[in-house]
Amino acid sequence: MQRTLFNEDHAAFRESAKAFVERTITPNVEKFIEQRVIDRDVWLEAGRQGLLGLEIPEEYGGSGANDYRFNTVFAEELCRVNAAVASSLGIHGDVVAPYLVDLCTEEQKQRWLPGMCTGEIKTGIAMTEPSGGSDLAALKTNAVRDGDDWILNGSKTFITNGYTADMIVVAARTDPSKGARGITLFAVEDGMPGFERGRKLDKVGQHPSDTAELFFSDVRLSAEHMIGDEGQGFIYMMERLPQERIGGAISNLAHAQGVFDETLEYVKERKAFGQAIGKFQHNKFLLAELRTKLDVSQAFIDTLTMQHVRGELSPVEAAQAKYWSADIENEVIDACVQLHGGYGYMTEYRVARAWMDARVTKIWAGSNEIMKELIGRDLGL
């Protein structure tokens, strides 16, 4: 399908991103899967190529692109090789960066943004708690004033980049009496007394992306570690979740598209009963249906991506994009596993790993059920 949201600048950037992926990611995917983390050298090389600061102004070392289509291109090229690498780099560049650019003081920006652009400072964001899941307003991690400082206590879980991040944006309750209006964001840096990481979580998929539990025991934070204004954390998160969700939708479809393309080549070559398995009517019709669903979904996501570029994407539309793309991604990849037969169940095949990687997209960034709840509320139900 011909897409209309990109111009010549995006096409040139895609070639650069593709070259980076082919040179740096593709040859090392197996190693990243085995060690459950992406080498820091990858981050540093991405920094040298200007790929980590797309959301960051030039005066702090970023590209200052101010055009989410460049983020889209980078995510798509990463996802065509491995969804977990896209997730890890995306949390850093697409999710955390806007918080710091929009909310930090000048001193804070000078402290963190240049290192984010070079890959010397790797970041994550800690919202989810063991008892909270998608219910961000119910978080229990708390920060209590002590003079000009804050004392942070609590825990977070399922934190992408959590095992190796140098700085993590943490949501904590600072006024229990105010509910969602009593949440504040803080920057917690590696090595702070009382900040500990639990085990590297053993996930079903997304293995190259390190994920961890985080624990905070009387972590002393100065006023300079508060991000934005006191009590505004929940609002800040709600304002930025649409970008996280459209970013997830972009990655979901690119991931499914990459697996579909590989499967299409496989069914043309794999033979059974004297002919290529793609020639059997059932398989041919199945692939026709998947191709159509991918193209229809791509048109939808591209339209919403352009709305986001113009600053017009609503939270409800972002929820639609997130849940729909996750469902389509899982449907397409599951069908591709079936088309591979027994080989589709072998982890040395990319389709099997992609199948495992895709399942979490129905859960993270707000579960698909929560997305439907948001959409339903918008319908007045």
Side-chain angles (χ1 to χ4, degrees), residues 123-201:
T123 63
I125 187 164
M127 298 182 188
T128 306
E129 297 188 350
S131 61
S134 297
D135 189 2
L136 297 180
L139 59 84
K140 297 179 180 179
T141 297
N142 67 87
V144 178
R145 277 193 180 276
D146 183 29
D148 293 331
D149 295 341
W150 294 86
I151 306 300
L152 179 69
N153 283 281
S155 63
K156 302 288 182 177
T157 194
F158 312 137
I159 308 306
T160 301
N161 297 340
Y163 200 75
T164 56
D166 303 290
M167 190 274 277
I168 297 175
V169 177
V170 178
R173 187 169 300 284
T174 50
D175 190 338
S177 68
K178 293 184 178 179
R181 299 282 178 172
I183 295 172
T184 304
L185 302 181
F186 296 92
V188 176
E189 296 179 277
D190 184 36
M192 284 184 160
F195 171 40
E196 296 182 2
R197 308 169 202 257
R199 60 193 173 92
K200 193 185 299 180
L201 296 175

Side-chain angles (χ1 to χ4, degrees), residues 13 43 46-47 49-68 70-71 74 89-106 108-123 167 169 243:
F13 178 72
W43 292 82
Q49 297 299 317
L51 298 170
L52 297 180
L54 297 174
E55 294 276 299
I56 297 173
E58 293 181 10
E59 58 263 37
Y60 305 108
S63 305
N66 294 320
D67 181 347
Y68 197 73
F70 288 103
N71 303 54
F74 188 37
L89 294 175
I91 287 289
H92 175 87
D94 282 13
V95 177
V96 176
Y99 282 90
L100 305 188
V101 171
D102 297 344
L103 304 174
C104 280
T105 65
E106 182 61 27
Q108 290 173 323
K109 291 177 183 179
Q110 293 289 350
R111 181 174 183 173
W112 295 311
L113 292 181
M116 286 185 68
C117 294
T118 63
E120 294 171 290
I121 295 178
K122 180 178 176 181
T123 63
M167 190 274 277
V169 177
Q243 175 157 310

Side-chain angles (χ1 to χ4, degrees), residues 12-53:
F13 178 72
R14 187 180 294 278
E15 291 305 312
S16 297
K18 185 180 297 185
F20 164 79
V21 171
E22 291 176 351
R23 183 179 65 254
T24 310
I25 307 299
T26 304
N28 296 303
V29 166
E30 299 295 336
K31 181 175 71 167
F32 300 158
I33 290 172
E34 183 178 349
Q35 67 191 22
R36 300 302 200 257
V37 69
I38 302 164
D39 289 344
R40 183 59 70 111
D41 286 347
V42 171
W43 292 82
L44 298 175
E45 178 61 19
R48 285 190 288 269
Q49 297 299 317
L51 298 170
L52 297 180

Side-chain angles (χ1 to χ4, degrees), residues 253 256 293-294 297 323-333:
L253 278 190
K293 289 179 180 180
L294 282 169
S297 300
Y323 113 73
W324 179 261
S325 64
D327 276 2
I328 291 296
E329 174 193 24
N330 278 270
E331 178 185 348
V332 168
I333 295 177

